[in-house]
């Protein structure tokens, strides 16, 4: 593989120019194509002119930009939460949440939980999510411990698999559960373009907190936390939140005013997904409505490379492992891109 792929010097889109050749690109996490969406870029420029490049003051400064509280209100309504909190990154959102909320209970990590949610070193959690959910249910219901903190991704975007949290409906009512879910890959895509919060079981003894990077589907360099008014208030009282600078206001401005853009891009993405799934054989694994398509073929990336097509390919879980090869669709792909991909795959499948 060309080493220049490690030092791309152009914006990502459906095509990458490399050594004078155009390559179709099916990788990355810009699922809604926001970095190349003209109307969104116009909103970003409006925000840039209104608020400048950045805001280096902490959120407890005596003089504040009002846009951050406004954006949190918009995010809470858009993603059906009582309240929201916006940080400068998804990593900060996750760390702020787990370090504040994990203290009062017994912590259990689901398998493959993202490192941003680790409190210290990598937690011991192996196996499938389905088996983990059964074991966790039994452990909680048979234990004398009353307070539990469950930490998990909303999905495994590599496989891909959207996790089912309905097992929580069978938790004994005298157990107090705080469920912290990382929805970085699903927000804006799964659950009809909303967030994992809308799919989690509603129980009086369960508190839900969803954290997410906004830098993927939503196209903004920021982090988001969704939860109850009580939890968000607790998080806003932490020294981490108080001491950290917020994200650039220009991106937050664009996010606030882009709801119709996100909806339009989501519909286009779903159309692209439907086109591709109609043309793939059963060798490919995917989750309905999510734009990642996995195949157990260690050489398909090299075969596609010969036809000027780039896909996501990297060794996992260790550098010595076989590569995980996935096609990632985005809203910036045209039907002609997808048809070319399918026709090319047909040559050697």
């Amino acid at each position: 593989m060309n080493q220049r792929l490690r030092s791309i010097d152009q914006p990502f889109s459906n095509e990458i120019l490399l050594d004078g050749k155009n390559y179709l690109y099916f990788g990355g996490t810009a699922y809604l194509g926001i970095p190349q969406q003209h109307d969104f870029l116009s909103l970003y420029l409006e925000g840039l002119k209104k608020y400048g490049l950045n805001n280096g003051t902490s959120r407890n400064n005596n003089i504040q930009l009002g846009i951050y509280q406004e954006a949190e209100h918009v995010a809470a309504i858009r993603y059906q939460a009582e309240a929201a909190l916006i940080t400068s990154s998804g990593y900060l959102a996750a760390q702020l949440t787990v370090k504040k909320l994990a203290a009062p209970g017994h912590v259990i990590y689901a398998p493959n939980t993202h490192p941003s949610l680790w409190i210290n070193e990598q937690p011991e959690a192996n196996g499938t999510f389905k088996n983990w959910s059964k074991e966790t249910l039994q452990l909680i219901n048979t234990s004398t411990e009353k307070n539990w903190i469950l930490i998990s991704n909303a999905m495994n975007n590599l496989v891909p698999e959207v996790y089912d949290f309905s097992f929580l409906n069978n938790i004994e009512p005298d157990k107090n559960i705080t469920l912290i879910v990382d929805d970085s890959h699903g927000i804006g895509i799964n659950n009809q373009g909303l967030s994992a919060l809308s799919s989690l079981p509603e129980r009086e003894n369960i508190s839900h907190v969803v954290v997410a990077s906004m830098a993927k589907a939503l196209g903004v360099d920021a982090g988001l936390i969704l939860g109850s008014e009580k939890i968000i208030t607790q998080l806003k009282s932490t020294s981490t939140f108080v001491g950290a600078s917020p994200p650039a206001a220009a991106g937050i401005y664009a996010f606030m005013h882009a709801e119709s853009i996100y909806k339009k891009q989501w519909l286009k993405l779903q159309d692209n997904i439907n086109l591709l799934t109609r043309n793939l054989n059963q060798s490919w694994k995917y989750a309905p409505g999510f734009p990642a398509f996995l195949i157990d073929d260690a050489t398909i990336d090299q075969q596609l490379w010969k036809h000027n097509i780039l896909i996501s390919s990297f060794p996992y879980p260790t550098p010595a492992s076989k590569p995980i090869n996935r096609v990632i669709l985005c809203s910036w792909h045209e039907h002609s891109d997808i048809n070319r991909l399918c026709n090319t795959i047909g040559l050697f499948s």
Side-chain angles (χ1 to χ4, degrees):
M1 189 69 69
N2 194 308
Q3 288 300 310
R4 285 196 57 201
L5 293 176
R6 295 284 187 173
S7 56
I8 299 295
D9 61 354
Q10 61 200 273
F12 287 115
S13 67
N14 63 323
E15 291 188 343
I16 292 176
L17 180 64
L18 190 67
D19 298 329
K21 297 180 181 179
N22 278 319
Y23 290 79
L24 281 182
Y25 175 59
F26 293 94
T29 60
Y31 305 124
L32 295 179
I34 294 299
Q36 296 293 341
Q37 214 285 333
H38 180 268
D39 293 334
F40 191 90
L41 292 176
S42 295
L43 285 174
Y44 201 103
L45 289 175
E46 284 181 27
L48 197 62
K49 292 175 182 177
K50 185 176 178 68
Y51 294 105
L53 288 174
N54 76 322
N55 176 15
T57 62
S58 66
R59 289 287 297 272
N60 75 330
N61 195 284
N62 66 317
I63 302 173
Q64 289 288 322
L65 289 178
I67 188 172
Y68 297 110
Q69 286 188 326
E70 294 170 18
E72 288 167 347
H73 179 68
V74 167
I77 293 173
R78 189 175 297 173
Y79 299 116
Q80 301 176 357
E82 282 189 18
L85 186 160
I86 289 176
T87 66
S88 58
S89 72
Y91 180 84
L92 180 60
Q95 284 288 294
L96 169 64
T97 300
V98 295
K99 288 186 175 179
K100 176 61 177 179
L101 300 182
H106 185 87
V107 176
I108 305 179
Y109 277 93
N112 301 309
T113 299
H114 194 273
S116 65
L117 290 167
W118 300 352
I119 298 173
N120 293 305
E121 68 278 352
Q122 182 174 359
E124 293 184 7
N126 300 308
T128 66
F129 182 88
K130 185 175 182 179
N131 288 338
W132 173 83
S133 63
K134 293 178 181 178
E135 294 167 359
T136 299
L137 176 63
Q138 182 179 21
L139 174 62
I140 293 174
N141 282 345
T142 58
S143 173
T144 57
E145 175 68 50
K146 296 297 184 182
N147 300 312
W148 298 83
I149 316 296
L150 307 185
I151 304 176
S152 175
N153 295 346
M155 69 175 300
N156 184 335
N157 66 295
L158 297 180
V159 173
E161 175 189 6
V162 179
Y163 294 147
D164 180 4
F165 291 91
S166 62
F167 73 94
L168 294 172
N169 286 316
N170 298 314
I171 295 282
E172 295 293 339
D174 64 332
K175 308 295 184 180
N176 300 311
I177 309 296
T178 299
L179 175 65
I180 301 172
V181 173
D182 187 331
D183 197 30
S184 294
H185 287 275
I187 194 167
I189 304 298
N190 297 332
N191 301 297
Q192 298 296 304
L194 297 178
S195 79
L197 197 65
S198 62
S199 67
L200 299 177
E202 293 289 339
R203 294 278 300 276
E204 288 187 5
N205 62 323
I206 300 176
S207 298
H208 304 131
V209 187
V210 169
V211 302
S213 166
M214 299 174 71
K216 297 176 171 59
L218 304 181
V220 177
D221 289 325
L224 180 64
I225 306 172
L226 304 170
S228 67
E229 289 277 5
K230 178 181 178 181
I231 285 177
I232 296 301
T233 298
Q234 288 178 337
L235 296 177
K236 285 190 173 183
S237 70
T238 62
S239 58
T240 301
F241 176 77
V242 167
S245 298
I252 298 305
Y253 176 89
F255 164 77
M256 289 176 60
H257 295 88
E259 185 172 13
S260 63
I261 296 173
Y262 288 131
K263 289 181 177 178
K264 180 178 72 173
Q265 294 297 99
W266 183 85
L267 288 171
K268 184 179 181 186
L269 178 64
Q270 296 305 309
D271 182 56
N272 285 346
I273 290 172
N274 290 335
L275 175 59
L276 182 57
T277 54
R278 290 198 300 268
N279 288 277
L280 291 180
N281 61 38
Q282 295 181 348
S283 300
W284 294 82
K285 184 174 182 180
Y286 56 93
F290 189 75
F293 300 81
L294 172 74
I295 188 168
D296 186 17
D297 183 337
T299 65
I300 193 170
D301 62 314
Q302 300 166 43
Q303 297 178 72
L304 289 170
W305 163 259
K306 295 175 183 177
H307 294 268
N308 292 7
I309 296 176
L310 297 169
I311 65 172
S312 175
S313 179
F314 55 88
Y316 183 86
T318 71
S321 301
K322 288 196 312 180
I324 283 187
N325 285 326
R326 296 175 302 149
V327 166
I328 309 294
L329 286 185
C330 297
S331 299
W332 59 38
H333 288 119
E334 302 297 336
H335 279 196
S336 58
D337 301 331
I338 298 169
N339 288 328
R340 179 179 155 194
L341 171 69
C342 293
N343 291 334
T344 305
I345 290 173
L347 296 175
F348 45 80
S349 64

